[in-house]
């Protein structure tokens, strides 16, 4: 079933990540440098619910302003402007602009703006979204990391993966996964799947990526935040 396929893919990705980390540490003269740096922070998952897919409704805006003013909170801290997806978490939940928004291990966007109680999300397929990403190929029941490039939203429901040299292996069906989480090395998260791979005249691949999760089908998500260890 689909749940078994998802579990198998997750296990393959985790196995590939462990192999990558082992090779990196074996080749690194200072294998504890990354470990000591990452030990200072801890990845937290903040559960969130989608309130709206078209920004902040007027009725909710007025309700929040009334409630916030009674507590002495400024209007600018209560509302967010924009037409994106609205979540029911904000600054009070330690959510910040740039944090990844995920559904399980799949990235569906990042926090664009925050207010006291709500946040606005930029989907990965939206124009302006950019993140470092790498190819992950699953073959013969094994997962292998490939080239790294820049994932960019096209505003059409798809993304492009740029900066992949023509000498690298890319194929339709390859997974596109994260290089880091909010700029820090962390778990491997999935962006989507390669649906088109053609050569460009400049010696690079023209790679199109379909997000693995559709925001229209999601309701409960998580926001990933790095926190300093106590």
């Amino acid at each position: 079933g689909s749940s078994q396929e998802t579990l198998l893919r997750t296990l393959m990705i985790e196995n590939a990540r462990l192999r990558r980390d082992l090779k990196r540490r074996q080749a690194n003269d200072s294998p504890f440098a990354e470990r000591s740096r990452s030990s200072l922070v801890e990845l937290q998952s903040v559960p969130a619910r989608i309130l709206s897919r078209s920004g902040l409704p007027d009725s909710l805006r007025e309700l929040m302003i009334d409630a916030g003013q009674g507590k002495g909170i400024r209007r600018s801290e209560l509302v967010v402007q924009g037409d994106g997806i609205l979540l029911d978490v904000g600054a009070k939940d330690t959510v910040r602009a740039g944090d990844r928004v995920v559904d399980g291990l799949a990235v569906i966007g990042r926090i664009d703006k925050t207010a006291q109680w709500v946040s606005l999300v930029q989907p990965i397929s939206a124009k302006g979204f950019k993140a470092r990403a790498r190819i992950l190929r699953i073959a013969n029941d094994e997962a292998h990391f490939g080239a790294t490039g820049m994932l960019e939203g096209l505003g059409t429901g798809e993304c492009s993966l740029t900066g992949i040299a023509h000498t690298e292996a890319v194929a339709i069906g390859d997974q596109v996964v994260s290089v880091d989480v909010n700029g820090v090395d962390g778990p491997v998260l999935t962006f989507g799947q390669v649906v088109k791979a053609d050569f460009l005249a400049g010696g690079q691949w023209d790679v199109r990526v379909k997000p693995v999760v559709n925001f229209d089908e999601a309701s409960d998500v998580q926001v990933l935040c790095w926190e300093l260890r106590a």
Side-chain angles (χ1 to χ4, degrees):
S2 60
S3 60
Q4 291 180 327
E5 292 175 358
T6 301
L7 176 60
L8 178 60
R9 186 181 69 176
T10 301
L11 292 174
M12 287 180 175
I13 291 175
E14 179 63 14
N15 182 51
R17 184 186 70 81
L18 292 174
R19 286 185 180 182
R20 179 201 64 188
D21 289 348
L22 179 60
K23 288 181 180 179
R24 179 188 297 168
R25 285 169 181 166
Q26 288 175 339
N28 195 338
D29 294 333
S30 303
F32 297 102
E34 179 181 326
R35 190 179 307 166
S36 63
R37 188 166 59 247
S38 61
S39 66
L40 299 176
V41 293
E42 185 175 44
L43 189 62
Q44 301 286 345
S45 175
V46 178
R49 190 168 184 82
I50 295 176
L51 295 175
S52 167
R53 290 177 171 81
S54 57
L56 186 60
D58 291 339
S59 57
L60 182 57
R61 176 184 289 107
E62 296 307 317
L63 182 64
M64 291 171 58
I65 291 173
D66 289 343
Q69 287 177 341
K71 296 182 179 182
I73 304 175
R74 295 192 301 271
R75 180 187 179 99
S76 60
E77 295 178 296
L78 296 168
V79 299
V80 288
Q81 303 296 330
D83 297 324
I85 293 95
L86 191 74
L87 300 185
D88 67 347
V89 294
K92 70 174 179 58
D93 305 291
T94 70
V95 171
R96 307 178 185 89
D99 288 346
R100 296 278 172 88
V101 181
V102 300
D103 184 356
L105 290 175
V107 182
I108 51 183
R110 67 179 170 204
I111 299 296
D112 184 30
K113 302 174 184 176
T114 61
Q116 190 75 9
W117 295 315
V118 294
S119 298
L120 205 60
V121 180
Q122 180 186 48
I124 66 172
S125 60
K127 279 191 175 182
F129 180 93
K130 289 186 178 182
R132 293 172 66 222
R134 62 161 61 94
I135 297 289
L136 179 65
R137 174 166 297 173
I138 298 176
N140 300 321
D141 293 335
E142 289 191 357
H144 306 275
F145 286 106
T148 297
M150 183 66 68
L151 188 76
E152 301 181 15
L154 297 174
T156 62
E158 292 186 346
C159 308
S160 66
L161 184 63
T162 62
I164 305 296
H166 72 281
T167 53
E168 301 288 348
V170 182
I172 293 175
D174 286 350
Q175 301 290 320
V176 177
V177 300
S178 63
V179 175
D180 53 50
V181 180
N182 306 349
V184 181
D185 190 34
V188 176
L189 305 172
T190 303
F191 286 113
Q193 189 175 48
V194 175
V195 293
K196 177 184 176 183
D198 297 325
F199 283 121
L200 291 174
Q204 293 187 351
W205 283 97
D206 176 17
V207 181
R208 298 299 167 91
V209 180
K210 181 180 180 181
V212 69
V213 176
N214 188 335
F215 243 132
D216 292 336
E217 300 170 354
S219 58
D220 295 295
V221 298
Q222 302 85 41
V223 182
L224 299 182
C225 314
W226 286 110
E227 297 293 333
L228 288 173
R229 290 182 183 272

